[in-house]
Amino acid sequence: MIDMQEKLKKELNLLIYLVGFCLCIPFFSIGQKTFVVDSSEPGFRTVIAGKEYKANGIHTFLWGKHYRKEWTTPVKVPVIHLDEEKGGLIPIEQGGGRQTQTLRLKDRNGKQYVLRSIDKDYGAILPENVQETFVEDLAKDQVSMAHPFGAITVPVMIEAAGIFHTNPRIVFVPFTPSLGKFNAVFANTLCLFEERPAGNQEDAPNFGFSEDVKGTENMFKKVFSESDHRVDQRAFVRARLFDIFLGDWGRHDDQWRWAEFDSGDYKIYKPIPRDRDQAFTKFDGFMIKKIISNEGLEHLQTFSYKIRDIKNYNFPARYIDRQLTNEVPRKDWIDIAKEIQQAETDEVIEKSIGQLPPELFTISGKEMIAKLKSRRNDLVKYAEKYYSFLSEEVDIVGTEQSELFSVAYLPNHQLLIRLFDLNKNGQPKSNPFYSRTFYGFETHEIRLYGLKGNDVFRVDGQENNPILLRIIGGTGKDSLINQSSTRIRYYDNKGNVTIGKLRAHVSNDTAINAYHYRAFKYNASTSIKSPSYSNTRGIFFNLGYSYTKQQWRKEPFGWKQTLTINYSISNNSFGSDYTGIFNHFIGPWSLLLNGRYDQKLKNYYFGLGNETSKRQLIEHYHLFTNEAFASIGLNRFINTRIQIGFSGFYQAIRVKRELDKFIDINLLPGDPTLFNLKKFVGAQINYAYYHVNHLVVPTRGFGFNAAAIYTRNLSQSNRSFYRYVANMGFYVPFSRTISFATRSGAATLTGETEFY
């Protein structure tokens, strides 16, 4: 129940912000084509990239200044004639992600190129039920966060850094007969044109003359299946440090291609970064900053002189970074950062940003140069900090073949891990294909995954070491020989060979030794500073802190604790709230802790019975209480739809006396203990079932929850009571965005209850 409520709260907040977005920004018309200002000069067009992004001062204050001036300034760009370019290009496939329209083309030799729209559309990343509505038009306004011509500044800098790269050009695409049906989307638009890094690139020096360029998914298939396919991790670290310098934060898996080379004994993959849409992004604007702060989107950091939080800045690349940097030691990170610093001279940076059209350079060119120089100067610091974060927890993954995982505990809290191929006779080859020494002062936990094959895990050494080692076998016949003095945590199926001190977790369930590439999640901390409202607290201000700790194989997190202190303006009183969720605390059961205290809560009391009525001013019926509450419980998912839980609680309530109020006049004479402190204990059991298509705005499905609560007065044991409550909801869709919803519920009390 708690996990579901957390998700509901988060998504509901996003929906509230979206409503605020709709209310605060002016309506505008989205242009489907680039606005042409002048077409008189042969071979060129003077265009406005995004006329619709022009906004007034209030709008830019709320939703960001961004690069609106760059989007709305006329710029002269070259015209591309696709039937002449590269000897004539033929369109073969339209594609694109959730934001950009793309068109793949090929020349007469089969080499491929790509057109990508400069203007974008964020509609596809919105919830389905608001797509194709005015909300989608409003969301598109945030395209102005990105610099429309930023991509063309990259080649000079990335070439200097020694990294493979594309060579983008920004061009105007006129109506072209060879485009055929694709004219409907791409004719008369501003596009980025570049070579497509795929397949045979033996004639392309910017791709290392590689004869085979692969996508990330295909590269990983090879790397995980065969140990003689490896990634050049130092080259990847170089590319990632360049991203940090450049301010390109959105480096997820699909932003990479991989040039394959044959080194003789093995195949090596070197990275080709692509798609620089997120370089130089600005996240300014009052509402944008509020959304980022309140919704835990700390990776959305404005391109600035400094990087505030390097760990969260790299959040979109969290999976690929952890997999492809796990062999590179601290010294190499620092050395590579220094090499990039030396390569990115002032002259190189100035020449790179100088690639911007003169009309745009005068707007922001000098500022971009200054920011890049500052980031370059701090690159070693960023490299050290990010290396330290990645080294805290490390996954080392074998392949589907048989390997030897050699672990040696060394003096001074060092841990040497090497991976060797095993030949047909089960003997290791002479040279490891993975080797790294870890240090206890920087690494907390290491996990070795065997995947498939008949793997051998051998642990040696009598030295004490603070690094927690987990060994996760594979589906083959594995062997674990622990000759060290350390008890190893081992996870595998039954029937494997084990020797030595182990804390074994053995099961027939294949999930016990599964490796999930996307399993890693960030620990998250959030400061809470927000106004709020409730019926009892009135208008109040929250100040607090929330921390979410991830733990291995605990979903959706290990534990989360939140503490807030509030001041009620309406009641002139203080209060506080605490929640703690500890998932899988006892087997599948999660521990739930809750606490609350309020100096003063405002309720209304109109008397007992069904015939009460208000005969005086509303203030006459005020009822103020001083309350404290604490509970502890266990909760579990039976499956993805059903939750059950039970808890015990303590509650203390004191009704505050207000002279000449309704409660003082009507209840006090019959109950002299009315304003005494009352203490209660109780227990609760709850059940929930949800089968809906969306937790925040469901349009199809059914939900039901029920609870039974027992409460006992500690001072008067004869005053105990039961409360039963249940409700359900049905959702029947009429169309994509409209559905019929109905909800009903019931509750009842039995026993000797207090009047409140």
Side-chain angles (χ1 to χ4, degrees), residues 4 16 66 105 154 176 180 240 273 360 383 401 479 522 625 657 706:
M4 192 174 294
I16 291 170
H66 301 337
L105 311 106
V154 177
T176 308
R240 291 294 292 118
L360 303 188
Q401 297 177 330
S479 301
Y522 272 44
T625 59
R657 186 170 186 179

Side-chain angles (χ1 to χ4, degrees), residues 295-346:
E295 301 305 326
L297 303 174
E298 289 85 358
H299 61 282
L300 302 180
Q301 299 178 42
T302 287
F303 174 65
S304 188
Y305 298 92
K306 305 290 182 182
I307 300 176
R308 184 180 68 255
D309 182 348
I310 192 65
K311 177 186 78 171
N312 284 306
Y313 184 76
N314 289 300
F315 178 81
R318 59 197 179 279
Y319 305 127
I320 196 167
D321 280 358
R322 301 191 73 79
Q323 178 62 42
L324 300 184
T325 65
N326 63 9
E327 194 177 4
V328 184
R330 178 187 296 269
K331 182 180 182 301
D332 286 11
W333 279 78
I334 295 172
D335 289 345
I336 294 168
K338 289 179 178 178
E339 290 170 8
I340 294 176
Q341 284 181 322
Q342 293 170 3
E344 303 302 333
T345 63
D346 289 355

Side-chain angles (χ1 to χ4, degrees), residues 152-318:
I152 63 174
T153 69
V154 177
V156 173
M157 288 184 286
I158 200 169
E159 178 74 23
I163 301 166
F164 296 156
H165 59 90
T166 59
N167 291 296
R169 295 154 47 196
I170 291 182
V171 296
F172 180 81
V173 182
F175 181 90
T176 308
S178 61
L179 274 178
K181 63 180 181 180
F182 301 112
N183 274 300
V185 175
F186 293 94
N188 301 315
T189 61
L190 196 63
C191 287
L192 183 146
F193 175 77
E194 63 185 357
E195 60 271 61
R196 183 170 181 264
N200 190 339
Q201 299 289 337
E202 60 183 352
D203 60 344
N206 52 316
F207 298 148
F209 305 104
S210 172
E211 296 180 4
D212 190 7
V213 175
K214 288 182 167 62
T216 299
E217 184 178 353
N218 289 330
M219 178 274 291
F220 272 132
K221 284 181 180 178
K222 284 292 188 179
V223 169
F224 286 146
S225 62
E226 303 174 48
S227 61
D228 59 354
H229 287 257
R230 309 170 194 173
V231 172
D232 186 338
Q233 291 202 7
R234 290 188 88 261
F236 183 70
V237 168
R238 179 180 296 274
R240 291 294 292 118
L241 288 175
F242 180 83
D243 295 335
I244 293 169
F245 154 72
L246 186 67
D248 192 355
W249 57 271
R251 306 306 300 166
H252 56 78
D253 296 16
D254 194 47
Q255 305 284 45
W256 301 89
R257 292 295 180 264
W258 304 90
E260 180 183 303
F261 300 95
D262 191 343
S263 70
D265 295 331
Y266 54 87
K267 298 291 180 68
I268 189 85
Y269 296 96
K270 294 181 181 290
I272 304 173
R274 65 169 194 157
D275 190 351
R276 294 296 182 179
D277 289 348
Q278 306 301 341
F280 315 122
T281 312
K282 290 184 178 180
F283 298 98
D284 52 355
F286 177 79
M287 288 300 294
I288 296 299
K289 291 178 181 178
K290 288 293 293 181
I291 292 172
I292 290 172
S293 173
N294 291 350
E295 301 305 326
L297 303 174
E298 289 85 358
H299 61 282
L300 302 180
Q301 299 178 42
T302 287
F303 174 65
S304 188
Y305 298 92
K306 305 290 182 182
I307 300 176
R308 184 180 68 255
D309 182 348
I310 192 65
K311 177 186 78 171
N312 284 306
Y313 184 76
N314 289 300
F315 178 81
R318 59 197 179 279

Side-chain angles (χ1 to χ4, degrees), residues 433-696:
F433 65 87
Y434 177 97
S435 179
R436 179 177 168 186
T437 300
F438 295 88
Y439 302 91
F441 65 85
E442 62 185 19
T443 300
H444 305 152
E445 183 171 333
I446 296 174
R447 305 171 191 128
L448 307 180
Y449 289 88
L451 297 187
K452 298 180 181 179
N454 301 324
D455 298 311
V456 178
F457 300 89
R458 189 176 66 208
V459 184
D460 299 292
Q462 301 301 310
E463 302 289 337
N464 292 324
N465 197 301
I467 300 175
L468 173 61
L469 180 65
R470 299 184 195 269
I471 294 177
I472 303 95
T475 56
K477 183 75 171 179
D478 300 324
S479 301
L480 172 56
I481 302 99
N482 181 16
Q483 297 178 326
S484 74
S485 58
T486 303
R487 187 181 296 275
I488 303 299
R489 299 195 182 193
Y490 174 61
Y491 306 79
D492 209 343
N493 300 127
K494 296 179 179 179
N496 297 293
V497 177
T498 60
I499 300 172
K501 296 168 62 176
L502 302 174
R503 185 177 294 175
H505 303 265
V506 179
S507 171
N508 287 326
D509 188 348
T510 56
I512 195 162
N513 52 25
Y515 169 66
H516 299 290
Y517 168 65
R518 298 180 181 273
F520 175 77
K521 295 181 181 179
Y522 272 44
N523 296 332
S525 60
T526 304
S527 297
I528 301 168
K529 295 173 288 186
S530 62
S532 193
Y533 174 83
S534 73
N535 288 339
T536 55
R537 286 177 174 167
I539 299 172
F540 63 97
F541 187 82
N542 267 323
L543 180 65
Y545 183 76
S546 179
Y547 190 82
T548 303
K549 173 71 173 177
Q550 299 294 339
Q551 293 176 319
W552 191 62
R553 288 187 173 175
K554 290 189 176 183
E555 294 292 339
F557 48 78
W559 55 260
K560 179 178 182 179
Q561 298 186 72
T562 303
L563 176 65
T564 59
I565 298 173
N566 65 76
Y567 173 71
S568 169
I569 299 172
S570 302
N571 299 338
N572 188 26
S573 65
F574 288 93
S576 63
D577 294 280
Y578 167 80
T579 59
I581 307 170
F582 300 82
N583 283 313
H584 304 286
F585 185 75
I586 304 174
W589 293 90
S590 297
L591 174 67
L592 310 180
L593 302 177
N594 284 279
R596 175 176 57 83
Y597 173 76
D598 283 284
Q599 273 186 321
K600 192 175 183 181
L601 294 177
K602 181 173 70 174
N603 298 277
Y604 292 93
Y605 178 67
F606 297 94
L608 296 173
N610 294 327
E611 305 301 324
T612 61
S613 61
K614 180 172 77 71
R615 297 185 178 89
Q616 301 188 45
L617 293 175
I618 191 69
E619 290 81 5
H620 182 67
Y621 299 93
H622 283 174
L623 169 66
F624 291 100
T625 59
N626 168 223
E627 298 187 16
F629 176 85
S631 72
I632 180 171
L634 294 173
N635 183 83
R636 69 166 294 183
F637 281 89
I638 302 300
N639 53 43
T640 57
R641 298 173 184 169
I642 298 175
Q643 289 187 76
I644 60 171
F646 58 89
S647 62
F649 62 85
Y650 168 84
Q651 188 171 16
I653 301 177
R654 185 193 301 274
V655 178
K656 292 181 174 290
R657 186 170 186 179
E658 300 281 333
L659 295 177
D660 299 325
K661 298 294 185 182
F662 182 84
I663 183 173
D664 182 59
I665 297 170
N666 288 272
L667 285 184
L668 181 60
D671 185 0
T673 68
L674 179 67
F675 299 112
N676 293 347
L677 177 66
K678 304 289 181 71
K679 301 176 182 179
F680 307 90
V681 294
Q684 174 175 333
I685 184 169
N686 55 271
Y687 170 89
Y689 175 88
Y690 286 93
H691 186 194
V692 293
N693 62 337
H694 196 282
L695 286 176
V696 177

